[in-house]
Amino acid sequence: MESHHPFSAVLGIRMEAIGHGTARAILPENPAHQRLGGIVAGPMLMALADVALYAAVVGATGNSEAVTASLTINFLRKCPAGEVVAQARLLKTGRLCAGEVLLAPRGGEPVAQVVSTWAVPAGQRPAA
């Protein structure tokens, strides 16, 4: 993670689990992650989702050179200050991997849903 997503260390994101096409990542509680009103800022949530899906792609393909091709986030409600959990899963693997991430405060309801595609470089793609 540190060589391909160095900002994950800056944000303190930690990986709890990586499986074949799945990942669980945590954004720790940090006042620097908040915006006015004491809620977690949208860019922090987007970064968390991006890192979690990257881990799921690498878990499925073994290719650490995959890059984000698109990312759409649907904010469902305000995210209260505190730890945020990202649960990522791939829906498709191949030249493009597609997946989704649900973001929620630990023990809480989802605050955002992310849909993203990742480009997997030639020569290291999984069988479709």
Side-chain angles (χ1 to χ4, degrees), residues 87-98:
Q87 189 66 49
R89 70 182 181 114
L90 286 184
L91 305 171
K92 175 198 174 287
T93 57
R95 183 180 65 78
L96 286 177
C97 291

Side-chain angles (χ1 to χ4, degrees), residues 77-89:
R77 58 185 56 88
K78 295 176 185 178
C79 184
E83 194 172 64
V84 182
V85 179
Q87 189 66 49
R89 70 182 181 114

Side-chain angles (χ1 to χ4, degrees), residues 3-128:
S3 64
H4 289 81
H5 276 286
F7 70 86
S8 65
V10 171
L11 297 179
I13 296 171
R14 66 182 191 276
M15 298 306 302
E16 276 196 345
I18 299 174
H20 184 81
T22 63
R24 183 177 171 95
I26 307 297
L27 180 69
E29 181 173 7
N30 184 333
H33 296 159
Q34 297 173 24
R35 56 163 288 180
L36 293 175
I39 60 174
V40 178
M44 301 304 164
L45 297 174
M46 293 173 79
L48 175 61
D50 193 57
V51 168
L53 205 49
Y54 171 78
V57 169
V58 173
T61 67
N63 188 338
S64 62
E65 300 299 318
V67 295
T68 309
S70 70
L71 187 144
T72 301
I73 188 164
N74 298 302
F75 295 105
L76 306 173
R77 58 185 56 88
K78 295 176 185 178
C79 184
E83 194 172 64
V84 182
V85 179
Q87 189 66 49
R89 70 182 181 114
L90 286 184
L91 305 171
K92 175 198 174 287
T93 57
R95 183 180 65 78
L96 286 177
C97 291
E100 68 176 355
V101 183
L102 286 179
L103 302 171
R106 188 170 294 280
E109 293 294 315
V111 295
Q113 180 246 1
V114 175
V115 177
S116 183
T117 56
W118 285 71
V120 179
Q124 295 184 355
R125 291 188 197 128

